[in-house]
Amino acid sequence: QVQLVESGGGLVQAGGSLRLSCAGSGRTFRSVAMGWFRQAPGKEREFVAAINWRSDSTYYADSVKGRFTISRNNAKNTVYLQMNSLTPEDTAVYYCAADRALYGVVLTDIDEYDYWGQGTQVTVSS
């Protein structure tokens, strides 16, 4: 079982930056793939970025490529999402998610993740 808690959201002006954190608990956190998703009002939850368990493979949605960076510190049981050059279109609730399988590959499909955090609001003003 993995419990996830996101933090770091807030209000930022367009062009600004935020770093989201996802703290995980559970013995297997450092051995599973992790992802970030977001959901804007009236829209479906969408994939943002993902990382495998040992940080040698990452994947990004086209909409955030070159602006967002996913990373993890397994010693701290934490995954990060550094978000730069934010635009109002990035406004959403951001969720982190964890796979159940150990030592798996990067996952991009929402249905492939087994554990979810409660989300953190990111609002970008124009």
Side-chain angles (χ1 to χ4, degrees):
Q1 187 79 12
V2 174
Q3 290 81 42
L4 305 171
V5 178
E6 302 96 333
S7 62
L11 174 63
V12 64
Q13 289 189 328
S17 298
L18 282 175
R19 188 176 81 156
L20 305 183
S21 298
C22 173
S25 63
R27 294 180 298 169
T28 62
F29 178 89
R30 59 192 64 192
S31 304
V32 299
M34 298 290 298
W36 285 97
F37 290 76
R38 67 186 181 186
Q39 188 167 18
K43 295 186 176 181
E44 294 187 350
R45 195 171 298 188
E46 65 175 5
F47 170 76
V48 175
I51 189 168
N52 70 340
W53 65 280
R54 59 185 183 185
S55 302
D56 61 359
S57 181
T58 58
Y59 196 82
Y60 297 91
D62 288 342
S63 59
V64 307
K65 201 172 295 183
R67 300 187 299 123
F68 290 11
T69 302
I70 188 171
S71 62
R72 67 191 297 166
N73 184 332
N74 284 342
K76 295 184 177 181
N77 273 15
T78 303
V79 175
Y80 305 97
L81 186 67
Q82 177 67 44
M83 306 186 295
N84 299 328
S85 302
L86 286 162
T87 73
E89 288 68 38
D90 295 315
T91 295
V93 177
Y94 283 71
Y95 299 88
C96 68
D99 184 18
R100 177 184 288 121
L102 301 182
Y103 314 117
V105 299
V106 169
L107 303 174
T108 62
D109 189 332
I110 189 171
D111 294 328
E112 295 177 302
Y113 285 90
D114 301 291
Y115 307 106
W116 292 85
Q118 83 290 347
T120 185
Q121 177 70 48
V122 171
T123 303
V124 184
S125 64
S126 57

